[in-house]
Amino acid sequence: MSDAYHQLLSATIRHLTELRAQGVHYVPVSPVTLNALNGAAPTATHPAPQRTASLSSQPAPQKPALAPPPHPHAASLPPTPILVSETKPVRTKPGPVLEKSAAYAALRQRALACGRCTHLAASRKNVVLGAGNLNARLMFIGEAPGAHDDERGEPFADKPGQLLTKIIQTMGLTRDTVYITCIVKCRPDTPGEPDGSRKPTAAEIQTCLPFLQEQIDLIQPGVLVALGATATEGLLGKTAGITRLRGQWQSYRGIPLMPTYHPAYLLHNEVLSHKRLVWEDMLQVMTRLGMPVTEKQRGYFLKA
Ligand code: SF4
């Protein structure tokens, strides 16, 4: 590769390093520029200088993958952010500055030992903190763990979870590239009905909410999706009803939030028009994240 290329590369690294020192972790790059950069990148026989690798150990995404995460205000930026630092230091509250994975591990430890809701701590089998990619750009937030989730320690491990997986896959993603959690981390108890289920109470939601807020602050997704009325009301404090709120962009902790129906609702109401409404919400999410939407995807769940 030419000297000019290495001079340009060095200048770019200097600039990105300065930005990182100023607290900037992502910069927008247009697809045209990204393609040009990819075309100019050194080949395997001309490896990039080590300093490039120290900025990011991940390759630039070939398509708008949901990891890595965007700048906190990515929703207002052009798509295709590139990674400047994948191990962003995170200040826990209170606590030292930690790398993201270490901060998450500390959060997980606290959640697993949590007994703030004594009745839920006594009845649960597992604390279901969440699952997925810590660098996800998309976070789904459900209501509370069900019996299967409690058993396995995973959110959305049941039939509604299978439908959520299909929705994610229809968006062109996998569960590994998003983050899934619930507004309450322990299964709401049902004394005398071991297999029963109930909504979490307002008190339980308020007690557990700090865990979710910490997860959001740590992962910093570009978009939140609230699944169902309970999650939406718990986050927004609005009681307008999911039917009125779904499809309307909201904001939570400065992040765009899309309320939509819970997958369980779709299982109980297997109507094409309801599936279409959820899908239209997901199309909005994809557009907000700068993901490509094919004509085929646009046409899903429309009447034949
Ligand atoms: S629901 Fe949340 S706050 Fe309550 S015991 Fe479980 S982890 Fe703790």
Side-chain angles (χ1 to χ4, degrees):
M1 200 55 58
S2 68
D3 287 347
Y5 174 83
H6 285 301
Q7 284 173 9
L8 181 61
L9 187 61
S10 296
T12 303
I13 290 171
R14 267 200 308 278
H15 179 60
L16 292 175
T17 304
E18 286 166 12
L19 286 177
R20 186 170 61 181
Q22 294 165 19
V24 176
H25 297 278
Y26 301 93
V27 293
V29 179
S30 73
V32 172
T33 305
L34 193 59
N35 281 339
L37 287 171
N38 283 337
T43 63
T45 55
H46 296 82
Q50 189 59 39
R51 288 177 65 194
T52 305
S54 72
L55 286 172
S56 169
S57 63
Q58 290 189 353
Q62 297 302 306
K63 57 184 179 180
L66 290 197
H71 184 278
H73 304 297
S76 61
L77 296 174
T80 322
I82 62 170
L83 190 62
V84 173
S85 170
E86 68 171 348
T87 53
K88 178 184 178 184
V90 174
R91 183 173 291 284
T92 56
K93 291 180 277 185
V97 173
L98 298 172
E99 295 297 332
K100 183 183 274 191
S101 58
Y104 187 83
L107 167 63
R108 188 167 182 276
Q109 281 303 111
R110 280 186 281 119
L112 295 187
C114 180
R116 285 183 221 153
C117 312
T118 49
H119 56 301
L120 301 191
S123 62
R124 74 189 176 205
K125 292 178 180 166
N126 283 293
V127 175
V128 185
L129 181 60
N133 196 314
L134 294 188
N135 291 328
R137 293 179 63 202
L138 178 55
M139 180 186 286
F140 290 93
I141 303 169
E143 181 177 298
H148 282 86
D149 307 349
D150 183 40
E151 192 77 42
R152 294 177 54 175
E154 281 180 33
F156 284 88
D158 50 9
K159 280 192 175 174
Q162 291 167 13
L163 181 53
L164 177 61
T165 301
K166 284 184 182 170
I167 292 170
I168 292 168
Q169 290 171 341
T170 306
M171 297 170 80
L173 304 167
T174 65
R175 281 177 73 125
D176 290 345
T177 57
V178 303
Y179 189 86
I180 302 172
T181 187
C182 289
I183 198 165
V184 167
K185 312 303 184 192
C186 298
R187 182 185 177 217
D189 61 342
T190 53
E193 294 178 65
D195 297 325
S197 62
R198 68 165 172 84
K199 281 171 54 174
T201 65
E204 289 163 350
I205 291 173
Q206 286 308 311
T207 305
C208 202
L209 203 52
F211 281 126
L212 177 64
Q213 291 170 340
E214 240 185 282
Q215 287 171 298
I216 292 171
D217 293 349
L218 195 154
I219 294 171
Q220 295 185 10
V223 167
L224 303 169
V225 172
L227 297 166
T230 304
T232 302
E233 287 176 23
L235 291 171
L236 302 177
K238 295 182 180 177
T239 55
I242 189 64
T243 302
R244 291 185 62 184
L245 289 173
R246 66 137 289 277
Q248 311 293 323
W249 282 109
Q250 309 288 323
S251 177
Y252 187 72
R253 297 180 87 74
I255 297 174
L257 181 145
M258 174 57 70
T260 195
Y261 291 129
H262 194 285
Y265 174 79
L266 294 182
L267 289 176
H268 289 123
N269 301 274
E270 292 214 44
V271 181
L272 191 66
S273 59
H274 289 169
K275 292 180 183 175
R276 177 65 193 181
L277 290 177
V278 170
W279 183 240
E280 285 176 2
D281 299 342
M282 295 307 102
L283 289 175
Q284 286 202 64
V285 167
M286 292 170 71
T287 301
R288 191 91 186 215
L289 288 170
M291 296 172 61
V293 180
T294 65
E295 280 309 305
K296 188 176 177 185
Q297 284 175 314
R298 285 191 199 286
Y300 283 148
F301 310 114
L302 286 172
K303 288 193 175 85

